[in-house]
Amino acid sequence: MKKFNEYVRVAEAARTLGVSQNTLRAWAAAGKIPVRRNPANGYRLFLRRDLERFLAKAARNIER
């Protein structure tokens, strides 16, 4: 299991990606970005590494 500090909640992940929280939730529901749930409270959690990969992939697509 990953360390809790490797995860961020929706608000911080949305700020990192520069999108609204609702957009991020929609992308997660559509499978565009991996999401996990905190078993204790059900909050959506995003791995920082996954956010970095998502941004890198988006940057490569823009360069094309």
Side-chain angles (χ1 to χ4, degrees):
M1 175 124 189
K2 305 282 183 205
K3 294 179 184 177
F4 188 71
N5 66 356
E6 294 179 30
Y7 293 94
V8 295
R9 293 194 310 214
V10 173
E12 185 176 344
R15 276 192 305 273
T16 299
L17 298 178
V19 299
S20 73
Q21 293 180 33
N22 286 338
T23 297
L24 181 57
R25 288 183 190 104
W27 288 352
K32 293 181 180 183
I33 189 163
V35 63
R36 289 137 180 102
R37 293 281 185 160
N38 182 327
N41 57 22
Y43 288 176
R44 290 174 183 87
L45 298 172
F46 298 88
L47 270 172
R48 294 177 194 274
R49 183 180 67 230
D50 291 339
L51 300 176
E52 293 166 5
R53 287 180 185 155
F54 186 87
L55 286 173
K57 183 178 176 181
R60 284 193 304 270
N61 288 340
I62 291 172
E63 292 173 358
R64 291 183 195 172

